[in-house]
Amino acid sequence: MKRVGFAIWFLMFLFVVESQAQCNIKNRILADGSMMYYFDSAVFYYTKSKSLKINIVTDKENYFVALKPSPFPDKKEGKKIKDDLFIQLSDNKVYKLSHYDTQYMSNDSVMQVLYLMDDKDIEAFSKHEAISAKINMKGTEFVRTYNFKLHKKAIMEQLECFLREEKSK
């Protein structure tokens, strides 16, 4: 009986450690001096011809979904991306995220597009996995639809980490 109790305690300990380990929040200071908090991007979609990485970014006031598509348009065309992002969650609702900014990083070898989450949608994003996204990629093939196959829970898990940290303060 002691062994069963110990095994249960040990498994619970591993679960707690694992759930905490996934909350590896990073930060960086932007050119304007503001601090942004983020996670490493997770691959949501991948084929030989295109891929999409996504992560959550916050300034502690707003939450953003950051998309890193590949291929992406050159800087001149990419700066024209101003359309909103539409993400379908597992609750079968489609959520509109407003375009916030298009950034080129690492000597223009990575493009990141930030979309602002509406405050009223944060709970849904923290409770439901992502199913698909539609984005108008000016300069490439226009509207791209990504049906997610990989890491569907990443947005939900990253947002939960931010919200859990916020509550603990």
Side-chain angles (χ1 to χ4, degrees):
M1 191 62 163
K2 280 186 174 181
R3 287 183 182 182
V4 171
F6 178 74
I8 291 172
W9 178 84
F10 184 72
L11 290 173
M12 287 176 45
F13 174 76
L14 286 178
F15 177 74
V16 169
V17 169
E18 177 66 22
S19 67
Q20 295 300 320
Q22 292 175 355
C23 288
N24 188 12
I25 299 172
K26 300 180 177 188
N27 61 54
R28 70 173 164 248
I29 298 174
L30 301 180
D32 66 0
S34 60
M35 181 74 78
M36 294 298 276
Y37 301 88
Y38 66 98
F39 286 91
D40 287 331
S41 301
V43 177
F44 272 67
Y45 183 88
Y46 179 82
T47 66
K48 287 182 180 180
S49 62
K50 61 184 175 179
S51 68
L52 182 67
K53 294 180 179 180
I54 298 179
N55 64 310
I56 299 293
V57 177
T58 185
D59 59 4
K60 300 283 183 158
E61 292 179 28
N62 299 296
Y63 290 94
F64 304 91
V65 170
L67 299 185
K68 293 178 182 163
S70 180
F72 55 86
D74 63 43
K75 200 171 194 173
K76 181 180 173 188
E77 288 298 314
K79 290 293 185 177
K80 294 179 185 175
I81 296 173
K82 302 284 184 208
D83 291 350
D84 296 331
L85 171 68
F86 295 90
I87 294 184
Q88 181 182 357
L89 300 181
S90 60
D91 63 356
N92 290 320
K93 293 181 183 174
V94 176
Y95 296 87
K96 178 178 134 182
L97 287 79
S98 303
H99 178 270
Y100 184 78
D101 192 20
T102 301
Q103 305 168 340
Y104 283 78
M105 303 175 300
S106 302
N107 295 322
D108 298 341
S109 64
V110 175
M111 181 183 88
Q112 173 174 277
V113 187
L114 293 174
Y115 294 92
L116 178 63
M117 277 188 183
D118 193 317
D119 287 343
K120 68 179 176 46
D121 297 333
I122 289 174
E123 184 176 352
F125 276 92
S126 69
K127 295 191 182 322
H128 301 283
E129 63 185 32
I131 303 298
S132 66
K134 287 186 181 181
I135 178 175
N136 188 346
M137 292 294 294
K138 292 182 176 13
T140 58
E141 60 194 49
F142 292 96
V143 177
R144 286 189 192 175
T145 299
Y146 296 93
N147 292 310
F148 301 143
K149 301 293 182 199
L150 307 168
H151 306 288
K152 294 181 186 186
K153 293 183 179 182
I155 291 173
M156 181 177 72
E157 291 168 348
Q158 291 178 11
L159 192 53
E160 276 291 310
C161 285
F162 279 131
L163 296 173
R164 188 170 43 246
E165 181 186 281
E166 195 173 284
K167 280 184 182 180
S168 69
K169 289 187 177 182

